[in-house]
Amino acid sequence: MHVTAIIAAGGRGHRFGGALPKQLLMVAGRAVLERSVAAFASHAAIAEVVVALPPELAANPPVYLRERARSDKPVRIVAGGARRQDSVANAFQTVGADTDVVVIHDAARPFATADLISRTIAAAAESGAAIAAVQSRDTVKLAGATGQGASDEARLPFVLGTLPRDTIYLAQTPQAFRRGVLRDALALADSAGTATDEASLAERAGHPVRLVAGELSNIKITTPDDLAMAEAIARGARAPEERGRSGGGFRVGTGYDLHCLVEGRPLILGGVTIPFARGLAGHSDGDAVCHAITDAILGAAAAGNIGTHFSDSDPQWKGASSLDLLRHAAAVVRERGFDVANVDASVVAERPKLSPHIDAMCAAVADAIGVGAAQVSIKGRTNEGVDAVGRGDAIAVHAVALLGPLRD
Ligand code: MG
């Protein structure tokens, strides 16, 4: 069965306020969007992922999505539309005829578990359409006319009736559909006004929609209060034994790398391609900044070095960006109970001048490690004309990383 995931991230989060779209906000060190995409991209049953972003973001996607676009499991980025159903329709247009089931998910729900995704896909494969939903635990009142009093309290509406709670389910995502069912549903999208989910379109198209058990932790981040709850869920998800593995202390590691400058290669440092006549030689992209920082992070956790984790002969890393190695190293130390507290690197290069690129390098490295940009420092300097680095034949990088216990 070929399953395609669509991540609906086209909204601008008007209800949230603030300058950043809500899907780019950080929760416990990782963007909400990155968490949501990762849940589906890492799911064994899902073959490909399509992410619908606001057009300005689709034109300049975050680094973690650009990197995923080059990985084994394709992550395609499409521009979203004015309404949610337009974004999903744009994404659906790129879904091939070989897809059996499409599973749709809100980017603003970063905590969907692999089990929940599996249940929803399985139910849709069997019944045509299925959505995650949780039964209401509160008594549900149907509201009527608004009171006319002067105070806010008095303007609350009156109760018209009490609905039987056991028939009330609160819809979440994922929502999954056989391809033909979703096609019928989206055909109604133009005439349907604004639909808050795809299931309501499928219902209108006459398809039965099955409920599968959702999860209370699968919250949708809509307001600043939700963000605080998301932080608590993300930190609570780290088991105490995982947090304890670091021994509670701080650890420091160093890293060093040197690559020769050669003709015919792009110069990539800290994940940023820098205009220059020559680039760094090497099996990979030759990104000595990422390599030195990767070694520093692994070294701090006594978790080996770049050679032990990323063999030249392993096809998994063939053509990988060195930012992927860095991201993997950060994941390795997190599994051992550490968070990266900060990294600092000195790049020794006679030419080119690095200062115009430092901010972009710090941002890309911070993004890969999953920390804030303020936790990453990269500095350029020359070797005063001394030795091969000073002659401009090579670039060397020294790095240190400090790891602390996983925050909770
Ligand atoms: Mg290297």
Side-chain angles (χ1 to χ4, degrees), residues 6-14 23 51-56 58 78-93 190 194:
I6 292 176
I7 308 296
R12 288 175 179 76
H14 292 306
Q23 59 269 35
V51 185
L53 293 175
E56 63 276 13
V78 301
R83 301 167 302 173
R84 177 198 167 87
Q85 67 247 48
D86 303 323
S87 295
V88 171
N90 289 356
F92 184 62
Q93 274 181 5
D190 283 339
T194 297

Side-chain angles (χ1 to χ4, degrees), residues 384-401:
E384 301 287 335
V386 174
D387 76 25
V389 173
R391 285 195 302 275
D393 294 340
I395 288 177
V397 182
H398 303 261
V400 293

Side-chain angles (χ1 to χ4, degrees), residues 256-259 280-292 295 306 322 325:
Y256 171 78
D257 197 23
L258 178 145
H259 284 245
L280 294 175
H283 167 78
S284 64
D285 56 14
D287 189 335
V289 168
C290 285
H291 298 173
D295 258 2
I306 202 163
S322 293
L325 312 191

Side-chain angles (χ1 to χ4, degrees), residues 107-124:
R109 294 185 189 271
F111 301 120
T113 64
D115 277 354
L116 176 60
I117 296 167
S118 299
R119 297 200 276 284
T120 313
I121 292 169

